[in-house]
Amino acid sequence: QVRLVESGGGSVQVGESLRLSCVASGDTKRKYYMAWFRQAPGKEREGVATINQNGAPSYDDSVKGRFTVSMDNAKNTLYLQMNNLKPEDTAMYFCAADVLPLTPLVGFKSDYSEIRINNLAAWGQGTLVIVSS
């Protein structure tokens, strides 16, 4: 089983930036696909970004143009650079991993049901992002 540990969250003002990191450890010999999800207070967990094995990123429409996902395979670390943060970005950000590709065929909101999200192989403990106006 892979273990995921997120870091980098914090409290910022509107328009500022944060960089989240997710380090994978444990069963790193098996190929895992990784993605970022977030859960705002009172809302369901939703997909934010992922990157496939060829380095092609996918983003939810709400973060396109502002967030950049990247992967350092040598460090088993997934990153999320978040620029121009908005109050609606306030959420707990989670890293997830699975043995199946996580790139959505249509979009995160349409591809990722609550059941699919809950059945992903591994989750980190989350890192909190608060954006104040």
Side-chain angles (χ1 to χ4, degrees):
Q1 185 75 1
V2 66
R3 179 171 176 259
L4 306 172
V5 179
E6 304 97 331
S7 62
S11 183
V12 297
Q13 300 292 312
V14 168
E16 294 184 340
S17 300
L18 283 172
R19 188 193 193 205
L20 306 184
S21 299
C22 173
V23 180
S25 61
D27 183 17
T28 55
K29 290 184 179 179
R30 176 181 290 189
K31 171 63 179 178
Y32 282 92
Y33 298 87
M34 297 170 67
W36 288 102
F37 290 76
R38 66 185 180 186
Q39 187 166 19
K43 294 188 176 181
E44 294 182 352
R45 195 168 297 192
E46 62 179 11
V48 176
T50 188
I51 189 166
N52 70 10
Q53 60 185 5
N54 297 318
S58 296
Y59 301 98
D60 183 72
D61 288 344
S62 63
V63 306
K64 280 181 181 176
R66 300 187 298 120
F67 290 11
T68 302
V69 63
S70 60
M71 182 76 189
D72 186 333
N73 290 312
K75 296 181 178 179
N76 294 319
T77 301
L78 183 73
Y79 300 99
L80 186 67
Q81 177 67 42
M82 305 187 297
N83 297 330
N84 190 22
L85 283 161
K86 303 176 180 180
E88 51 264 41
D89 295 318
T90 294
M92 185 72 82
Y93 283 73
F94 297 91
C95 178
D98 201 271
V99 295
L100 297 177
L102 297 177
T103 299
L105 296 177
V106 178
F108 279 101
K109 289 185 172 58
S110 58
D111 285 32
Y112 279 87
S113 65
E114 184 177 359
I115 292 176
R116 183 179 180 188
I117 289 174
N118 291 337
N119 280 282
L120 293 178
W123 287 92
Q125 83 290 347
T127 185
L128 182 61
V129 172
I130 299 174
V131 185
S132 302
S133 58

